[in-house]
Amino acid sequence: MIRFNLDELLKKNKISRTKFAHLAKVRPNTINDMCNGNTRRIEVDTLNNIMRTINELDKGTVDLADLISYVKDE
């Protein structure tokens, strides 16, 4: 199962989902779905906006592997 770790990254950077969505120019529902584990698909442009914005907040230290992880299904 693919898991998005966006909620943890937002908490680490002390930013709300709504504010992050605005900065990243991504629909708030998309950010909420990612944080709640409800994402079924994501556009590459959206992923790029999220990575660019989280790296601006976290001084360029976030890698794609920090945002997305794979957990084996049981």
Side-chain angles (χ1 to χ4, degrees):
M1 172 170 74
I2 301 296
R3 183 175 182 274
F4 289 96
N5 305 310
L6 183 59
D7 199 39
E8 291 84 3
L9 291 170
L10 295 181
K11 287 177 184 174
K12 175 184 169 193
N13 287 284
K14 298 177 181 157
I15 187 167
S16 72
R17 294 175 183 184
T18 303
K19 184 170 182 172
F20 182 79
H22 176 73
L23 291 173
K25 297 181 175 94
V26 175
R27 290 179 52 243
N29 288 349
T30 301
I31 299 301
N32 284 329
D33 284 347
M34 285 182 78
C35 290
N36 294 330
N38 296 326
T39 301
R40 295 288 172 230
R41 72 186 94 208
I42 188 162
E43 294 288 329
V44 173
D45 288 341
T46 301
L47 191 56
N48 188 56
N49 287 350
I50 289 168
M51 288 300 300
R52 178 186 43 77
T53 305
I54 200 72
N55 271 297
E56 287 172 1
L57 295 171
D58 210 357
K59 298 172 183 67
T61 61
V62 178
D63 191 60
L64 189 58
D66 297 322
L67 178 65
I68 302 172
S69 58
Y70 173 73
V71 179
K72 284 187 178 183
D73 292 332
E74 293 184 16

